[in-house]
Every structure is written in structure tokens, then in C-alpha cells.
Amino acid sequence: MPPDSFSVPIIIAAVILALALGGVLILHQRVRRDLSQARGQLVQARQAQEHLTRETSARNQRLVQAERQTQEGAELLREARAQHDLVRAETEHLISKRIPALLSHLRAPHVIVPGVQNPALAGTDIDRQHRAILDALTRGVREEGERIDEAAQAVVRGAMSRVQTQALRAQDLLAGVQQRYSGDEHTALLREVLGLDMFNELIIRRVQVTGIACGATTGLSRDDTYLVDLMVGAISRVENFELRIEGPANHLRRRIGVAARAAESILFITAELLANAVHHSHGTLKVTIAVHETNNGAAIVIDDAGVGLNEDQYARATRLLSGTQPVRLVDMGNPPRTGWAAIGRQVAHYGMQVTVKKSAFGGVQAVLNIPTALLVEMPEDSRPSVLAPEPVRAAVPTAATAIRPGPMAAAPAVQPEPVATAMAVQPEPVAASRPEPVASSVRTEAVRNEPATAPQQRPAEDLAPLPQRRRQSPPRATSGSRPTGGSSHGSDGRLLTTPEEAQKRWGDFQVGAEAGRREALPTEQHDITEGN
């Protein structure tokens, strides 16, 4: 074979081999490029997967946190709803239970105001806020109640003052009728007038106690007055006194009187205590009254055998009679019982003391203690009224006691002074000045014409001295300057009445007056406004 023919296949094979090698190289390069691209894509895929994994993890964390927050929010919502329901229930309890109980407590202190309904709220802000609401309501109700009560008391004071003034004028008119028609031929008329006079006196007392309980004054003024005369005047202010009251028993050893500034108040207090004792006693039971001298002044003791008081009533009486507790109209009951409240006002004003306790008869014993500062020793030229009781401890009889008839003719250690009559002073529009009617509620000038007697009295060095009061007017003539019997003529030629004649006339008149009053007035009265 020729060499040319042999080299051609080799060349072709070499060319083919070169082409194949070039293709392999090209393929290798392409494969490497593809592999590099695949590696890059794989890296990117891994990075994307890692990023996705991180995002998924973060999303899962956010979802978990969101779920936790949702659960916490739901729990808070449940707690808020429970708290809201609790507050609403507690507020409803405040409105429906606690506030009405508080209003009842302000009217009746024994009513208990309940606390929070749920004990878990005790001491919390809700409890403090509700307490603040109740405190504010309490202050508002009390302030408004005090304002309304003060306005009501002012109206009552004004009304009672006008009624008292008119009643005092009517009393003076009745006294004038009694004096003009005091003869035997006018017995029937006088009996009717005495009945009207007694009813008018009861009206004055009820008006006076109502006004004093509302802050008014007694509305009357007096001079220095014997204490025994004030007791007699107080007795005459009580209905059916001649049948229901026994006494008074005079245990005084000196000429003890009451200063002008406190005379009417002591008479008023004594009359109210007597009226209360009579009201709460059976019609056949007697009420006793006595006056004693003490180391610190004097004491008026009133005993009854009535129904008595229970512990709550004694506690209420002690509070009102002390005068330290504010008096409100709404606390006086229905019908209003103003006696103790009025007494408390006078006691606190003058520094006196009234105590009540169970008496030896099962009823109530009331004691009015009068301090020495309100007592005076009456002048020697004065004497009590003829109706004043003789002292229980009488001194040695003297000639001066001859004009005092009856079993009590012994000379007293203290001679009472006649009570001035209502005709002496005309009532004023606001504060009338009048003396108290003596037991028959009849005023007469006969008592003024009695001579003043200065009997011998037993020394009392062991007792504290009383302030001395002297009359400003000229002293009246003593019994020694007049005849002891019969009639005499004055310097102007008028016929003068002797003390014996005046005493007899006055005694006869009182007997007839009492008989007329018993016929004019019913023996039993059921006045629901009486009592304290």
C-alpha cells in the first residue's frame, strides 16, 4: 500500500480524534459551566431555604407570641369582665342596700349600715370610693337636715310666740272678769270663767314648752321669787292638780328665793316634770313633790307611782335632760313630745341638773338640782303667798303666826312671799312679763294687802350663805303697824282690810274656786301630746 493511502486514514483519524477531543473539551467546559451554574443555583437555593427557614421560624415565633398575647388578652378581658361584674354588683349593693340603710341610720342610729358585699373588696379602691360616697352623702343629708330643721324651728318659735302673747292677753282679760264678778251672786259665771282660765293656762304651758324646745325663751319675766311660790305656781299649771298632786312639802330652813333671771325657767321645768308624772300615772295615784336645801343649792324632788321607764327611755331621757344633745323636730316623735327637750335647753342654759331614776313606788323620781348661783335670800320684809306650804320643820310659834289658821299654825322657819298677780304687768308682744297664777289660777289684789311679817327663824350656820337681794321699792308696813283684828282707816280715810280678814276671804275664795274647777273640768283627760 502506498504511503499516501496509509497516511490519509491516520490523518482522518487524527482529525476525528482532534475533533472528538475538542468536542470533549467543549463538552467538558460546558459541563463545568453548567455545574458551576448548578452549584451557584444550589447555593442560592440553600440561601433561599435558609432565609425561608429563618422567616418561617420568625413567623412561627410571631405566631406563638401572637397566640400568647391573644391568650393573655383573653385572660385580661375575662378578668376585666369579672371586675366589671364585681364592681357593678357592688355598686348595685351600694344603691339598693347601703345608701337606704345609711338614710335609715341617720334617722334611727340603731340601724346598722352594711359593708361591702364581697369581702375581697374590703380595703380596695372600690371600698374606699364607696365609703367616700357614703361620707359625702352623710354630710349632705345632715347639713340639709339641719338647715331644714332650723328653718322649721324658726317658724315654730315665731308661731308659738304670737300664740303665747295672745293667750297671755286672754289670761289678763279672764283675771279681770274674775275680779269684777267675784261676788256670791256670780258663782255660776265665775265657775265658767275659772274653767276657761284653767284651759287657757294649759294652752300657755303647751305653747311655752313647744317654743322652748325649738330654741325660744320662756317668754315671761319675774322678780326674785320664793322657791316655794314657784312650786305652787308650777302645780297650778297641771290639769286636775288638786286631785292628782300631793304636797308640796317644804323642807327649806331659810327664806330661799330664786333670782329673777331663772325664776320662770325653774317654774317651767317643775311644771313639765309634774305634768309628765301625772300623765304617766293612773288617775287614782298621787304625785308627790317636795323641796329640800342642799349643800350646793336646793333640790325639787317629784315622785310618781306610774308605769315607769325602760332602759332605752331612761337613756333617751338622760340625753335630752342633759341639754348637750342637739334637739331636732324629727326626733321628737309623732305626736311630738317636747317636754324633755325643752327642759334640757333650760338646764343647759342656767347650769342646773335634772336626773330621773326609778322611784321607790315603782314609777319615776325626777330631781331638779338648782345651784346656789341661782338662789337668793329673800328680804326680811317679804313673805310668800298665802298658798305657799309651811315648812315641815317649823320653828317655835310666835305671835306672828296667829294669822295662819289650821293645823299648820306653827311659825315657819321661812315665810313665803306672795306671788305677784297677772294684773301687775301687762304682756308684751314678744316676751310678756307676768307672774305665775297661784293654785287656783285666780289673780287678786287681796294678797298684796297682806302685811309683811318677819318671824324669828332658826339659825343655819351649817348651810352656805345665799346672795342677798334687796327690794328697790319702799318696804311695806309690818304687822306691828296695823291692828291685829277688825278694820282700820288709812290716812286718806279709806277702810283698810286687816290681815285676818284678807286671809279668811282668800281662803273662802280658794275653796269655792277649787270646787268650781272640779265641776267645770273633766276628771280624766287623755291628751296624747302630754308626756315627754
Side-chain angles (χ1 to χ4, degrees):
M1 174 179 297
D4 292 338
S5 61
F6 179 76
S7 62
V8 171
I10 295 174
I11 294 172
I12 291 173
V15 171
I16 292 173
L17 181 60
L19 290 173
L21 183 60
V24 170
L25 291 174
I26 293 173
L27 181 60
H28 178 71
Q29 291 293 331
R30 187 176 295 175
V31 170
R32 290 182 63 182
R33 185 173 61 250
D34 293 340
L35 183 59
S36 298
Q37 292 177 355
R39 288 176 178 174
Q41 292 176 358
L42 181 59
V43 171
Q44 292 178 357
R46 288 178 178 175
Q47 292 176 353
Q49 184 179 4
E50 293 176 356
H51 180 68
L52 181 60
T53 302
R54 288 194 298 271
E55 289 182 352
T56 302
S57 177
R59 188 181 299 111
N60 292 336
Q61 292 178 357
R62 287 196 297 272
L63 288 175
V64 171
Q65 186 176 3
E67 291 178 357
R68 186 168 57 252
Q69 291 177 352
T70 303
Q71 293 177 356
E72 292 177 356
E75 185 67 24
L76 292 175
L77 181 60
R78 286 193 296 270
E79 293 178 359
R81 287 179 177 176
Q83 187 73 9
H84 177 267
D85 294 340
L86 190 62
V87 172
R88 182 177 62 183
E90 194 63 38
T91 304
E92 291 176 354
H93 176 67
L94 173 69
I95 296 173
S96 62
K97 301 294 183 181
R98 301 182 71 183
I99 290 180
L102 175 63
L103 297 178
S104 299
H105 175 75
L106 294 177
R107 294 190 298 268
H110 67 274
V111 177
I112 299 176
V113 181
V116 292
Q117 185 178 15
N118 192 337
L121 294 177
T124 61
D125 291 339
I126 296 176
D127 185 18
R128 287 190 290 270
Q129 291 172 359
H130 285 188
R131 287 181 180 273
I133 293 174
L134 294 176
D135 293 341
L137 181 62
T138 301
R139 289 192 299 270
V141 171
R142 285 178 176 172
E143 291 174 358
E144 186 65 15
E146 290 175 359
R147 187 187 67 82
I148 295 175
D149 198 80
E150 289 176 359
Q153 290 193 26
V155 173
V156 173
R157 285 197 302 269
M160 294 301 102
S161 175
R162 290 189 290 270
V163 174
Q164 185 179 10
T165 300
Q166 298 303 322
L168 291 175
R169 291 179 177 175
Q171 193 175 57
D172 285 340
L173 294 177
L174 291 173
V177 173
Q178 294 171 25
Q179 290 182 347
R180 288 194 300 271
Y181 299 97
S182 59
D184 296 338
E185 66 276 11
H186 303 294
T187 302
L189 174 62
L190 187 60
R191 183 182 297 113
E192 299 294 332
V193 173
L194 289 174
L196 293 175
D197 187 47
M198 186 62 194
F199 276 121
N200 188 69
E201 183 65 33
L202 296 178
I203 291 173
I204 293 175
R205 184 172 63 82
R206 298 311 305 165
V207 168
Q208 190 180 38
V209 68
T210 303
I212 292 176
C214 294
T217 62
T218 56
L220 300 170
S221 61
R222 296 177 179 274
D223 295 330
D224 297 345
T225 309
Y226 276 94
L227 183 55
V228 290
D229 277 343
L230 294 181
M231 292 174 56
V232 174
I235 292 173
S236 71
R237 290 186 176 186
V238 181
E239 195 168 4
N240 296 324
F241 62 87
E242 68 280 356
L243 301 177
R244 300 300 308 279
I245 298 178
E246 180 180 344
N250 181 7
H251 295 275
L252 299 178
R253 299 169 58 187
R254 292 185 289 178
R255 309 170 63 85
I256 295 180
V258 178
R261 65 181 186 277
E264 178 62 25
S265 295
I266 292 176
L267 190 151
F268 161 77
I269 294 173
T270 306
E272 279 303 305
L273 294 176
L274 285 171
N276 183 65
V278 170
H279 176 74
H280 291 287
S281 301
H282 189 269
T284 60
L285 300 178
K286 291 284 188 177
V287 174
T288 63
I289 178 173
V291 59
H292 303 266
E293 187 170 1
T294 65
N295 286 333
N296 298 322
I300 298 176
V301 182
I302 299 171
D303 283 283
D304 67 72
V307 296
L309 302 175
N310 56 37
E311 293 183 1
D312 292 338
Q313 290 172 332
Y314 273 119
R316 179 177 180 270
T318 302
R319 290 194 306 270
L320 292 177
L321 293 175
S322 66
T324 58
Q325 177 177 337
V327 177
R328 299 182 60 187
L329 291 177
V330 295
D331 299 331
M332 295 182 185
N334 184 19
R337 301 183 180 274
T338 55
W340 283 342
I343 292 174
R345 284 185 179 271
Q346 294 296 301
V347 165
H349 181 71
Y350 288 102
M352 294 180 286
Q353 182 183 17
V354 175
T355 57
V356 290
K357 64 178 181 179
K358 187 175 182 179
S359 69
F361 311 105
V364 176
Q365 181 185 80
V367 180
L368 169 61
N369 290 291
I370 307 171
T372 307
L374 300 179
L375 300 178
V376 296
E377 187 167 355
M378 300 301 289
E380 295 291 337
D381 59 351
S382 65
R383 58 180 301 175
S385 66
V386 295
L387 297 177
E390 297 282 355
V392 175
R393 300 176 180 178
V396 179
T398 61
T401 62
I403 63 173
R404 304 298 293 271
M408 301 299 292
V414 181
Q415 288 288 355
E417 176 190 17
V419 178
T421 65
M423 299 299 294
V425 183
Q426 295 295 331
E428 298 180 0
V430 178
S433 174
R434 73 173 179 96
E436 173 58 26
V438 285
S440 66
S441 301
V442 180
R443 292 86 179 165
T444 179
E445 297 294 333
V447 181
R448 297 184 182 181
N449 296 329
E450 292 192 21
T453 305
Q456 299 292 330
Q457 56 184 7
R458 187 169 57 185
E461 294 80 0
D462 56 330
L463 298 177
L466 296 174
Q468 297 289 332
R469 294 293 178 93
R470 301 300 179 187
R471 292 180 177 271
Q472 297 179 357
S473 58
R476 294 176 295 182
T478 60
S479 57
S481 62
R482 290 189 178 184
T484 57
S487 301
S488 61
H489 292 78
S491 58
D492 54 356
R494 293 185 302 172
L495 183 64
L496 300 179
T497 303
T498 63
E500 294 82 356
E501 293 175 349
Q503 173 70 17
K504 183 178 183 302
R505 293 177 183 177
W506 182 248
D508 294 341
F509 186 79
Q510 296 302 319
V511 173
E514 292 180 2
R517 184 177 297 104
R518 283 194 295 269
E519 296 179 6
L521 296 179
T523 58
E524 292 292 337
Q525 294 290 332
H526 300 281
D527 186 2
I528 60 175
T529 62
E530 279 286 5
N532 296 316

